[in-house]
Amino acid sequence: IAKIHGGLEAVASTLNYQIHHSTRAIAIGSDAGDATRWNKFSNVQQAILELSEALCAPDTMPSYTAMRSAGLGNVADAVRKRHGGLQAVADRLGLQLPSAFAE
């Protein structure tokens, strides 16, 4: 996006979108360093639900990119490697996948 389209802000402006930055999303990932913490599903659940809320989409499963952008790369890895992927975790939490990922 940065190289071809001038960055996220430029793309958002072109599409007449607003970017909502959230310090809550940053706080969620502030203790995300310990990868073994995310082996426990309840920890993954808490992080994902907090991130969904911070992104103003409480009924939608955050994408791997959204998790990584919020400092939750270890959560994204755990979802993919240990908890069955986006669809499995979304189903377990009663969340919808973003439309780009829906089957």
Side-chain angles (χ1 to χ4, degrees):
I1 288 180
K3 289 181 182 178
I4 297 172
H5 301 290
L8 187 60
E9 288 81 9
V11 172
S13 176
T14 300
L15 297 173
N16 292 320
Y17 288 173
Q18 289 183 319
I19 297 174
H20 297 279
H21 297 283
S22 174
T23 55
R24 273 187 67 202
I26 294 167
I28 295 165
S30 63
D31 60 352
D34 181 14
T36 60
R37 174 174 187 220
W38 307 113
N39 293 341
K40 187 173 179 184
F41 188 79
S42 62
N43 292 334
V44 171
Q45 177 181 9
Q46 179 181 359
I48 288 174
L49 294 177
E50 287 180 12
L51 179 58
S52 293
E53 188 73 31
L55 294 173
C56 300
D59 297 329
T60 303
M61 178 73 185
S63 67
Y64 293 126
T65 301
M67 289 181 228
R68 291 188 194 292
S69 295
L72 296 172
N74 285 335
V75 175
D77 291 342
V79 166
R80 187 173 52 82
K81 295 176 183 175
R82 300 200 179 273
H83 300 291
L86 287 178
Q87 182 70 62
V89 173
D91 289 346
R92 194 166 172 186
L93 297 177
L95 300 175
Q96 299 174 1
L97 283 181
S99 57
F101 298 105
E103 297 179 57

